[in-house]
Amino acid sequence: EPEVTQTPSHQVTQMGQEVILRCVPISNHLYFYWYRQILGQKVEFLVSFYNNEISEKSEIFDDQFSVERPDGSNFTLKIRSTKLEDSAMYFCANLLIAGGLTDTQYFGPGTRLTVL
Amino acid sequence: DQQVKQNSPSLSVQEGRISILNCDYTNSMFDYFLWYKKYPAEGPTFLISISSIKDKNEDGRFTVFLNKSAKHLSLHIVPSQPGDSAVYFCAVAYNQGGKLIFGQGTELSVKP
């Protein structure tokens, strides 16, 4: 089965610091997503990215958040000034292309972000 | 945001029996429905999906049923195995490439 990888697996940071979470997508996948799961809560959509631009974002994804594919391969999520409430598991997901029923979003293992 | 609800936080089933997990949604415009399985400290793993034009999709031991009039989705696992023990999330989307909206999850425990 294809694999999405994420680094780091765990990031601890001080409130107000910037963090960058990285995702290595599955080769040839064209759609990219970030989700997060605060402990004990639902998995929530943050942002989707296609053709080098944001295609959709949630109300959680405010000006403190940004995404990019700096080298055309890795997909990153940056939080400029972290808050305590940003502590969560962050998941990257990829989709090859919408079309066949078996096309689906594959999720990475997640990065646990702890803001102190 | 209660667009997708899984009303049972947990379910316990004997090995070999059927597990039935349920999910309700509110918006008839959703077109694509999925089930994911998740272990602690891992990402969600895709299990099975169904589009709104069908009412049943089967893959091995897993079958998803869609009742559009009731806005209800269910996952049947037959026979259940101890390795199926995990948290199961239903998810919906307006289209196949769109964002996924998840339920709260149901923790399934399959006892030997």
Side-chain angles (χ1 to χ4, degrees):
Chain A
E1 179 169 302
E3 262 191 20
V4 178
T5 58
Q6 291 184 241
T7 57
S9 57
H10 191 188
Q11 174 91 47
V12 181
T13 190
Q14 294 291 323
M15 190 170 58
Q17 296 295 304
E18 174 183 286
V19 294
I20 298 176
L21 310 183
R22 292 181 170 80
C23 172
V24 179
I26 299 167
S27 178
N28 297 328
H29 278 214
L30 301 177
Y31 294 76
F32 308 93
Y33 309 80
W34 284 102
Y35 293 82
R36 78 174 186 189
Q37 185 181 28
I38 295 171
L39 188 64
Q41 297 186 23
K42 293 184 181 187
V43 176
E44 303 174 286
F45 168 78
L46 292 178
V47 66
S48 56
F49 190 84
Y50 171 68
N51 202 23
N52 287 321
E53 60 183 30
I54 290 174
S55 46
E56 187 176 2
K57 60 184 180 180
S58 73
E59 58 189 26
I60 302 168
F61 194 89
D62 61 21
D63 292 343
Q64 293 300 311
F65 291 86
S66 62
V67 289
E68 62 176 1
R69 288 189 77 200
D71 54 7
S73 174
N74 293 339
F75 180 50
T76 63
L77 173 69
K78 182 193 291 186
I79 309 175
R80 288 190 187 80
S81 178
T82 50
K83 302 189 276 285
L84 294 176
E85 54 265 37
D86 293 328
S87 296
M89 283 289 289
Y90 287 79
F91 297 105
C92 170
N94 303 160
L95 174 67
L96 174 58
I97 189 168
L101 188 60
T102 54
D103 294 340
T104 189
Q105 293 183 31
Y106 289 96
F107 282 75
T111 293
R112 177 170 297 285
L113 176 65
T114 302
V115 182
L116 302 176
Chain B
D1 180 4
Q2 292 291 306
Q3 295 189 74
V4 185
K5 279 191 197 176
Q6 293 176 255
N7 290 317
S8 299
S10 63
L11 175 68
S12 184
V13 170
Q14 207 67 32
E15 181 179 7
R17 306 297 289 266
I18 185 171
S19 295
I20 300 176
L21 297 110
N22 295 301
C23 177
D24 296 298
Y25 60 95
T26 56
N27 192 334
S28 59
M29 297 299 290
F30 291 130
D31 193 51
Y32 189 50
F33 306 86
L34 309 91
W35 284 95
Y36 282 84
K37 174 179 175 180
K38 187 178 181 303
Y39 295 111
E42 292 185 14
T45 300
F46 170 72
L47 275 177
I48 193 168
S49 64
I50 189 168
S51 75
S52 61
I53 62 172
K54 300 181 78 172
D55 54 21
K56 177 182 173 181
N57 188 29
E58 196 170 342
D59 183 3
R61 296 186 298 115
F62 301 92
T63 303
V64 56
F65 294 92
L66 177 62
N67 182 334
K68 290 184 286 293
S69 60
K71 298 191 188 70
H72 182 80
L73 184 70
S74 63
L75 175 69
H76 292 207
I77 307 174
V78 181
S80 303
Q81 300 172 354
D84 296 330
S85 298
V87 178
Y88 288 77
F89 291 94
C90 66
V92 305
Y94 290 103
N95 54 69
Q96 199 166 2
K99 68 180 182 186
L100 297 179
I101 303 168
F102 284 85
Q104 305 96 313
T106 296
E107 183 170 10
L108 174 66
S109 175
V110 181
K111 305 210 179 293

